[in-house]
Amino acid sequence: MEAYKAWVRGNRQWLASIESIATTMTWLLPERFASSELAPEALSTAIGLVTVMNQYIVESASPKNLPPFMRSGADDRDKSIPWPIFISIVKELEVLVELTAEHYRGPNGKWSTLAVVEAIKVLIRLKIFHDSGYKMLIDGGETENQEEASYCDPYARRGARTSGRPQNVQGKAMGALYSFGNSLSGRPSWLQKRDAAQHRKNITSPSFEFSLWFLLAVQRGLLSLWKQPAARWFIVGETSLILRPLIYVFLIRRYGLKSWKPWLASLAIDLTGFSILFLTDQWSSKSSNESLIISQGSPSRPLSAAEKNELKRRQLLWAFYLLRSPFFDRYSRHQFQRIGKVAKPLPLFGTLASKAMELLAGVQSIYSYTAAS
């Protein structure tokens, strides 16, 4: 296994090209979108999983084993559970899971399975959102947000200075809770440090640590939301976007794919969540230049360049609403068919247009391709 890891790390650029070509070729296989033919999708899923695994091998390498152009920032890599990798794995599997569920349970029975898949993604993303200090999710949580501690997490910077090595969740929780309690007690600092060290030494119960983490999360969230309007609205906006795919699937399961209610509700959540994040960024940009805001203890910051690019990416994903029923059935399909008829007589473009229409119809019939989640 170590030999394979070393080979992947040494040939990453070459492997990336091969994986990209293989993925493209699977889209050209016959019966690519037939619900009765799972082999092409299984092949595509296998290639995707290998790609995810190889990417993780590269990212988990120590800096000395990486090529020079990939060593930047490798020393600061988080050693905790790689939740973004789990998001990538679920996304690679979801199409195959959908086709399998449709094959065995029918077009209407698959939505319960898809609801479970979306629920898993929501839980993982909420975990990433919380652990990152409530920073915006990049690429749906698959890419780490490299920005410094978010203004939504008042303890993130303090916890980063407590030790030269990364702390686990329980360690951060205990340190932050003691800092908060001691700031109210007024006891001498040397007594606070002694008591805190003794308490950490005596407490080993996992159930106690989990309870402490939960209480701290509630207390920290309430305090930060009460004092920071920008943080409150940012969390509301980002959380609504995280929950949107799950709400969409539940509404389809309830009202059916042909109903306008799921389509309109999903679009409304997308527009509302995006508007909240955009307006929060504008408010933070203005507030960051005001000394009054800083003096009140609200370290708001505008969105970073990466986060603004993420907002642009999410805007582009709105195009998938054109491919979702019932909008596609009533409007988009007819327009695409007209384009296909115009291009059909042309020697080369006709063949390409015909294949494009076939792929488009196949993509539209599979929820996971147009879910943009």
Side-chain angles (χ1 to χ4, degrees):
M1 188 62 181
E2 292 301 323
Y4 176 76
K5 291 180 178 180
W7 181 76
V8 169
R9 291 162 184 162
N11 300 275
R12 182 56 194 147
Q13 290 181 313
W14 178 76
L15 274 176
S17 300
I18 296 298
E19 291 163 356
S20 178
I21 294 173
T23 301
T24 302
M25 293 301 295
T26 60
W27 284 83
L28 303 178
L29 292 174
E31 302 296 327
R32 178 66 171 83
F33 298 104
S35 58
S36 60
E37 184 56 67
L38 298 177
E41 188 55 47
L43 176 60
S44 177
T45 301
I47 294 173
L49 291 175
V50 171
T51 301
V52 171
M53 182 184 69
N54 289 341
Q55 184 66 26
Y56 177 68
I57 289 174
V58 172
E59 293 178 352
S60 62
S62 60
K64 64 180 181 180
N65 293 331
L66 291 174
F69 68 92
M70 298 182 65
R71 292 177 184 172
S72 177
D75 290 319
D76 300 327
R77 184 178 293 110
D78 188 8
K79 300 300 182 181
S80 61
I81 298 176
W83 293 111
I85 298 298
F86 288 102
I87 283 286
S88 299
I89 291 174
V90 173
K91 293 188 70 173
E92 291 295 338
L93 290 171
E94 61 184 352
V95 177
L96 181 60
V97 170
E98 177 181 353
L99 291 179
T100 303
E102 183 174 353
H103 180 73
Y104 289 102
R105 305 188 64 182
N108 296 326
K110 72 176 182 180
W111 296 106
S112 297
T113 303
L114 288 174
V116 174
V117 173
E118 291 294 355
I120 293 173
K121 289 195 292 184
V122 164
L123 291 176
I124 297 176
R125 283 168 176 159
L126 289 176
K127 176 64 175 175
I128 297 173
F129 188 44
H130 173 269
D131 290 352
S132 68
Y134 303 104
K135 294 186 289 186
M136 180 182 292
L137 299 186
I138 306 297
D139 295 327
E142 293 185 80
T143 302
E144 182 182 359
N145 191 335
Q146 299 288 349
E147 280 302 303
E148 295 183 0
S150 171
Y151 56 78
C152 299
D153 189 356
Y155 295 107
R157 295 178 184 272
R158 185 184 306 171
R161 294 194 298 264
T162 58
S163 175
R165 62 180 183 277
Q167 293 179 298
N168 57 22
V169 174
Q170 291 82 4
K172 292 179 181 179
M174 295 175 69
L177 187 59
Y178 266 97
S179 298
F180 176 75
N182 289 331
S183 66
L184 300 178
S185 66
R187 303 182 66 211
S189 60
W190 66 273
L191 283 176
Q192 297 172 9
K193 294 179 180 179
R194 187 198 67 180
D195 293 346
Q198 185 65 32
H199 198 66
R200 286 193 297 267
K201 186 180 299 183
N202 294 336
I203 296 176
T204 58
S205 172
S207 61
F208 178 86
E209 292 182 350
F210 176 80
S211 301
L212 186 61
W213 171 84
F214 178 78
L215 290 174
L216 173 64
V218 173
Q219 170 257 325
R220 180 177 62 182
L222 291 176
L223 285 177
S224 62
L225 291 180
W226 180 261
K227 294 180 179 180
Q228 302 180 49
R232 176 171 62 248
W233 286 109
F234 180 88
I235 292 177
V236 170
E238 188 70 0
T239 302
S240 67
L241 294 177
I242 292 174
L243 294 174
R244 181 203 62 80
L246 180 59
I247 296 173
Y248 181 52
V249 170
F250 271 121
L251 290 176
I252 293 177
R253 185 172 177 270
R254 172 66 177 82
Y255 296 104
L257 191 60
K258 302 301 181 180
S259 173
W260 281 98
K261 292 181 180 179
W263 192 92
L264 291 173
S266 178
L267 179 60
I269 295 173
D270 256 335
L271 294 177
T272 302
F274 179 87
S275 299
I276 291 174
L277 297 182
F278 179 80
L279 293 176
T280 299
D281 177 47
Q282 298 300 309
W283 185 89
S284 300
S285 299
K286 295 179 181 179
S287 300
S288 61
N289 297 323
E290 299 177 6
S291 59
L292 177 62
I293 298 297
I294 298 177
S295 65
Q296 291 177 343
S298 178
S300 60
R301 65 165 179 83
L303 298 179
S304 66
E307 291 168 337
K308 290 181 178 179
N309 288 335
E310 171 64 16
L311 287 183
K312 294 178 181 178
R313 186 190 73 88
R314 295 179 185 182
Q315 283 182 291
L316 293 176
L317 293 179
W318 293 349
F320 281 106
Y321 281 98
L322 302 178
L323 300 179
R324 296 175 188 166
S325 295
F327 190 93
F328 180 83
D329 299 327
R330 298 194 181 185
Y331 303 104
S332 303
R333 185 192 300 273
H334 305 296
Q335 300 301 323
F336 291 138
Q337 288 176 347
R338 289 181 182 178
I339 296 175
K341 290 179 180 179
V342 172
K344 189 174 182 179
L346 302 177
L348 178 60
F349 291 101
T351 303
L352 295 177
S354 177
K355 186 62 178 179
M357 293 300 106
E358 177 187 340
L359 293 176
L360 189 61
V363 166
Q364 188 277 331
S365 64
I366 299 177
Y367 160 82
S368 299
Y369 280 129
T370 62
S373 63

